[in-house]
Amino acid sequence: GDFAKSTNEGETVLATKFAPLPWRTTPESVVKACEASVKRLGGRPIDLFQIHWPNAYCNAQYWDGMAMAYEKGLIKAVGVSNYGVDATRASHAALAKRGIPLATNQIQHSLLYRYPQENGLLQACNDLGVKVLSYSPLALGLLTGKYDADTVNQIQGPRKSLFKKTVGKPEFKNLMASMKTVASEHGNANLAQVAINYCRSKNTIPIPGARNLRQVQSNYGSLDWSMSSEEMNFLDHASSKISYADPSINWFPRQDKDTGLKMFDS
């Protein structure tokens, strides 16, 4: 809120999310949460308001609530997160009945997590005009080139076991080598920029994290060049046999228990 008040509307794009918590079961709960956010922003409308994850129930109620918030002028665009093909199509159709576009679907997508390309989710979003926001485009840092079989032992926390399963594989080493080949064709490009531009080449908007100014500058540097279709195909091949995560091991509800709608794919 303090940051929003320090900038003029139009200078920054503010996005936030609605958490579909168990006690939030009505359209009004979405509107109430949105109103609270707008109040914290000093009355400024939210540029993009997203549902944070698919729920096991009340999904249609949430879509109604997002539409109500849009019609009240509280938000400028409606988005969802972690929605699969069927859920994306259903939410898009529900909003369209009220003349409201579904603007975005924020999903995990990277060179080490290509399931949305393989299961038709990216294509479905493109067909509907829904822009994909690719989160974890650097695969939690694995695609920066910082980690190998030796440095992975320096990691603390749950990422350590996940990374150790990945960095020792020949397919990972081949992917790193292929990314270096692409980077060498673009001046001072680094591997993180290659990973970000791969997501851009798939018509998505990558949203990488940054912990310091150097990483922010690196992320912005990826906008200085674009990946050719030949380079994209080259990396498609290099990443085709490796993934660092299994979408079947995930806490997101896969189905709406009331409607039977499949909510999550990848």
Side-chain angles (χ1 to χ4, degrees), residues 112-242:
L112 281 173
Y113 196 86
R114 290 179 48 202
Y115 297 105
Q117 297 177 39
E118 298 162 357
N119 64 19
L121 181 53
L122 278 190
Q123 187 60 56
C125 289
N126 287 334
D127 291 345
L128 296 170
V130 176
K131 199 67 180 178
V132 168
L133 306 182
S134 295
Y135 73 78
S136 293
L138 304 180
L140 302 179
L142 270 172
L143 291 171
T144 64
K146 180 179 178 180
Y147 301 104
D148 57 27
D150 295 321
T151 57
V152 74
N153 290 314
Q154 301 170 10
I155 299 174
Q156 302 295 321
R159 287 193 306 163
K160 185 172 184 177
S161 60
L162 181 65
F163 282 22
K164 287 187 75 172
K165 294 176 182 177
T166 305
V167 297
K169 294 179 179 179
E171 295 87 352
F172 178 77
K173 296 176 182 178
N174 178 62
L175 176 57
M176 291 294 101
S178 299
M179 292 175 67
K180 289 176 182 177
T181 297
V182 173
S184 69
E185 297 296 320
H186 296 278
N188 296 319
N190 57 41
L191 297 194
Q193 292 170 349
V194 172
I196 290 170
N197 269 311
Y198 176 78
C199 291
R200 291 179 63 214
S201 77
K202 296 297 182 179
N203 194 37
T204 78
I205 300 174
I207 48 173
R211 293 186 176 182
N212 53 53
L213 179 60
R214 177 182 58 80
Q215 291 177 352
V216 171
Q217 292 170 331
S218 172
N219 292 343
Y220 270 107
S222 65
L223 300 177
D224 293 338
W225 59 278
S226 296
M227 188 172 291
S228 69
S229 57
E230 291 79 12
E231 290 169 332
M232 180 188 71
N233 292 334
F234 176 62
L235 292 178
D236 275 340
H237 178 73
S239 61
S240 62
K241 292 182 172 59
I242 183 169

